[in-house]
Amino acid sequence: MKNFQKFILPLLIVVLVIIIYTIYFSPKEGLGSFSDFDPNNTANKDIRVELVKEKGIRKDQQSGSSIFYARDRNGTEVMVQAPLMLPPTIETASVIVLRGHLHKEYFHAADVTAD
């Protein structure tokens, strides 16, 4: 019985570490949600979204940015303002990863990668 009691605390710690890893650190397979972003926070976070190809990608030389629309897992479409130079595979990708922050009117992406 004493040997069993010695293993309870280490076993609980291992289970706790596994739970924390699966919730916070494991890669997410599905799309993200824009509702997870706070419009008042300018910290850049990653989000996986679907590119809305029907609305196209517009390049604005004057402001030096690309403008397109993205859809999250809830079906919310948001205008995305991204750098002018986008990866060439973005037009054929169904899912893209945006790194940026949400404003009230649009999502400002500092980096865009095709997934």
Side-chain angles (χ1 to χ4, degrees):
M1 188 69 174
K2 280 189 170 185
N3 287 338
F4 180 70
Q5 289 176 343
K6 289 180 183 179
F7 292 112
I8 289 178
L9 183 60
L11 182 65
L12 287 175
I13 291 173
V14 168
V15 168
L16 183 64
V17 167
I18 291 171
I19 290 172
I20 289 173
Y21 175 79
T22 57
I23 292 174
Y24 291 108
F25 300 115
S26 66
K28 307 289 188 267
E29 290 299 320
L31 299 178
S33 176
F34 287 116
S35 63
D36 293 340
F37 286 81
D38 180 10
N40 298 322
N41 188 353
T42 58
N44 288 343
K45 292 177 18 181
D46 288 351
I47 182 172
R48 293 182 75 217
V49 293
E50 177 185 356
L51 178 65
V52 181
K53 295 179 181 178
E54 301 85 46
K55 295 191 177 180
I57 299 174
R58 187 179 54 160
K59 301 206 183 253
D60 186 4
Q61 299 290 341
Q62 188 175 19
S63 68
S65 63
S66 299
I67 297 172
F68 56 91
Y69 287 84
R71 185 179 301 123
D72 68 358
R73 71 173 172 239
N74 300 324
T76 306
E77 285 187 14
V78 174
M79 183 180 79
V80 177
Q81 181 182 16
L84 189 61
M85 298 304 295
L86 295 174
T89 57
I90 192 169
E91 303 227 3
T92 58
S94 58
V95 175
I96 57 175
V97 177
L98 304 175
R99 172 171 284 161
H101 56 276
L102 183 66
H103 292 273
K104 291 180 182 173
E105 306 85 27
Y106 65 96
F107 186 88
H108 181 261
D111 187 35
V112 179
T113 55
D115 195 29

